Each structure stands twice: as C-alpha cells, then as structure tokens.
Amino acid sequence: MDMFKTVLKIVQKQQTSLGFGLVALLTAGGEQIFSSVMFRCPCSDWNFSYGMVFLLVPALALLVLGYIMSNKTWKLFTGLCLRKSKCCHFKYFCACGVVFFQITTTALVAPVSWIAVALLNGNYFECAMTGINVTVFTNHLCDGKSPQCQDELYKFPCGRATHVPQSDSNDVLATIRAESQVLGWLLIASIMVFNLLLICVTRCNSPVSYLQLKFWRVYAQWESDLLESYMADHAEKLAERNLKSFFQQMPPEPVTTPPNQAWEKISSLYRFSTRDQYYSILHKYVEKCHDPAEARDHRMSSVRSDGPDTANPSVLAFVDEGKMML
C-alpha cells in the first residue's frame, strides 16, 4: 500500500511534465506483472470467459479509478441532486455531457493502455480465442490442420492436446498471437491518431493564444498546489486553536475561515467568458467579491456557478482538473 501511495504521489507531481505517458507506462508495467504472476489459462470450457475477464475487467476497474481520481468528476456531481430543476434544461444537460466527455477522455488513458499492452502480450487473447465457440473462427484457425483440431482447441495453451500434432498446435497459437499483436498495434495507432486530431481541433478553436494558454496552464497548476498547501495550513491552525481552547478552558482566538457560501462558489466548475478574463473560478471570486459594485449584491449572482450552463472550450479543460484525488 505504501508503494502504491508513493507511485500516486509521483504521478501527481509529474502530472504536468510527463502527463499521460507516465500513467500509460505504469499501467503497462502492472499488466506485465499481473500476466506473469496471476494469469493461468484453465484450458477448459472457461477459456473464453477467463481470458476476456482478465483482458477487460481490469480495464473497467482502471476506468472507474480514473473517474474517482478526477477532481472535475466531483466538482460536476457534488450537489447535482439538489439542482434537479436545472438538470432538466437541455442546454445545461448538454454542457454537463461535454464536461463528462472531457473527464472520460482523461480517464481512458489507463484502461486503453492496459488493453493495448495485453493484446501485444497475447496471453489473454490467446486463452480467450481458443475457447471461443464460433464455427467460422475455429474453421479459420484449424484450416489445413488435423481433424481433431477444433475439438481440442481449448487444450492448446497448456500443451495438453493428445490427438493433434504439436506443430499444428504451435501454428494455431502463433496465428492467434499474431492477430492479437496486430489488434494491439491498431488500437495504439488509432488512439494516437484520434488524440492528435482531437488536440488539433481543440487548439484550432482555442479562444486564447498559444503563449497565454501556456501561462494559463502554469497558473492553474500553481493555484492547485498553493490551494492545497493553504487548506492544510489553515486547517492545522484551526484545529490547534480549538484544541488549545478546549484543554486550557479559555475563549478561542479569532481565526477567519471562509463561509459556506464562499466555499460553494469556488467549488463550482469554471466557465470561460470573452468579456472578463479570469483564469479560474477562484480568480473570478476574489476579483468580484472585493469589487465595490459587486459587494452591494450579497448574493453575487455573477460569481455563483451551480453548474456548466455553457460548455467551455475544450482547450481549457485543464482549468478544473488540479491534482488527482487520493
């Protein structure tokens, strides 16, 4: 568990510089260890189910973990059930869908890496395909082989076939492994091309310039790091003040803490505006709350953001990400 936490901390610290590459590399390493230590093809009627479970279920678990570890997921869903009236609006629903798509594209890095590496390795696919009950595919594998090839196909991964020459068994397994590796490379190439096209489209529609976008990313990372540091420091001081007051039985010293309304406002999702230039929802809040013209409105409706009424440009999807959740 300590090693797992250490890896997560490394990923968090290198999230900007190494990004998705490090996540993919860690996933690939985990798949290799998982395949060599835990996977044992049963060589029975369970071949297909067993192979597919090892290929897809860990990927599903990594996808769910990606959702859980995303700050934007919880910014989107926290308090959503209390905004039922807004959720019925088509514009709001579409904006939430765009945000969820952005979260999903980030969360898909680890599961896609798992499936791609597993296909390149070939063990799971080999086990699953020798247990498949599709006549066309088994005929394809056993074309020109021994008549008992289809009947003993499920035994090939373990080398238990008694009525089929070893050369035929090796040829079939080599064919399956080759097909698995071709699928793996096609998946990798497809994801890279899709990712390149997605980046090109989002950059093409960017409302800000390249250098400002680069500055914006640096600002967002610094704000996330400092916010976490400030929260930890302030929470420590408040806890120390309360404990000191309790044990010494004396009135507590005054400690200023933002009210619930302020926390709610800076916890919402950022919305880009061409009229006002704010680099985050926190930036917008501090600018608005100290503006005398806005101070007259106690509700500060221009700052409040219960959810994404309009979709942000995709190129600014990083603004609400911050660090991954632990």
Side-chain angles (χ1 to χ4, degrees):
M1 182 58 69
D2 292 338
M3 182 178 296
F4 181 69
K5 290 181 179 179
T6 302
V7 171
L8 286 179
K9 288 180 180 179
I10 294 175
V11 173
Q12 286 182 341
K13 291 180 180 178
Q14 304 297 331
Q15 191 174 359
T16 302
S17 58
L18 298 182
F20 298 146
L22 181 59
V23 176
L25 183 62
L26 291 173
T27 304
E31 191 281 332
Q32 290 293 324
I33 297 173
F34 202 72
S35 176
S36 60
V37 174
M38 298 188 62
F39 183 76
R40 296 291 183 272
C41 188
C43 296
S44 66
D45 294 338
W46 277 85
N47 277 23
F48 181 76
S49 300
Y50 189 80
M52 287 293 103
V53 165
F54 270 78
L55 180 64
L56 299 179
V57 172
L60 178 61
L62 288 171
L63 177 63
V64 174
L65 185 62
Y67 284 127
I68 293 174
M69 296 180 68
S70 172
N71 277 328
K72 191 180 289 188
T73 301
W74 305 118
K75 281 191 174 184
L76 178 63
F77 285 102
T78 300
L80 187 63
C81 295
L82 303 179
R83 301 192 293 268
K84 296 179 181 178
S85 59
K86 295 192 68 175
C87 291
C88 298
H89 296 167
F90 180 74
K91 188 177 181 181
Y92 179 87
F93 182 79
C94 291
C96 287
V98 171
V99 174
F100 188 74
F101 174 77
Q102 294 171 352
I103 299 171
T104 302
T105 55
T106 303
L108 278 173
V109 174
V112 169
S113 300
W114 174 279
I115 294 175
V117 174
L119 288 173
L120 291 177
N121 190 13
N123 290 340
Y124 306 149
F125 189 81
E126 179 185 278
C127 181
M129 292 301 102
T130 54
I132 194 171
N133 190 20
V134 177
T135 304
V136 175
F137 187 73
T138 56
N139 288 339
H140 157 67
L141 291 177
C142 294
D143 185 29
K145 305 296 187 299
S146 172
Q148 290 78 25
C149 175
Q150 295 189 30
D151 296 332
E152 298 194 350
L153 186 61
Y154 66 90
K155 298 180 181 180
F156 285 4
C158 301
R160 298 178 187 171
T162 55
H163 300 92
V164 178
Q166 187 66 33
S167 59
D168 288 353
S169 175
N170 292 338
D171 289 344
V172 170
L173 293 178
T175 300
I176 296 176
R177 190 171 292 269
E179 292 173 350
S180 176
Q181 292 174 345
V182 168
L183 288 175
W185 282 117
L186 288 176
L187 177 61
I188 293 174
S190 300
I191 293 300
M192 292 182 68
V193 171
F194 175 77
N195 187 48
L196 176 61
L197 292 176
L198 190 63
I199 293 175
C200 290
V201 171
T202 56
R203 291 300 180 95
C204 182
N205 293 278
S206 174
V208 296
S209 64
Y210 170 74
L211 288 179
Q212 186 180 8
L213 186 63
K214 190 173 183 179
F215 168 80
W216 205 324
R217 285 183 176 274
V218 174
Y219 169 82
Q221 187 62 46
W222 272 107
E223 183 186 88
S224 176
D225 293 341
L226 291 175
L227 179 61
E228 185 174 322
S229 175
Y230 269 75
M231 286 193 299
D233 183 60
H234 192 81
E236 180 182 357
K237 290 179 179 178
L238 183 60
E240 184 178 359
R241 188 283 304 260
N242 292 339
L243 289 171
K244 182 179 179 181
S245 175
F246 173 76
F247 282 104
Q248 296 183 1
Q249 292 296 296
M250 57 183 295
E253 300 173 359
V255 175
T256 304
T257 301
N260 292 344
Q261 189 181 28
W263 286 109
E264 181 181 355
K265 288 170 182 173
I266 69 167
S267 297
S268 58
L269 287 168
Y270 172 80
R271 282 184 290 176
F272 175 77
S273 173
T274 55
R275 183 185 62 183
D276 301 316
Q277 182 172 317
Y278 302 112
Y279 290 107
S280 68
I281 193 67
L282 177 63
H283 183 197
K284 183 176 183 179
Y285 174 78
V286 297
E287 293 284 352
K288 291 286 187 178
C289 74
H290 295 297
D291 187 349
E294 297 290 341
R296 291 193 298 268
D297 185 1
H298 297 289
R299 295 177 302 171
M300 284 185 291
S301 56
S302 60
V303 178
R304 184 177 179 83
S305 178
D306 287 335
D309 291 334
T310 56
N312 277 329
S314 298
V315 74
L316 300 178
F318 63 89
V319 176
D320 290 305
E321 288 177 357
K323 288 187 175 182
M324 292 186 294
M325 298 291 292
L326 275 176

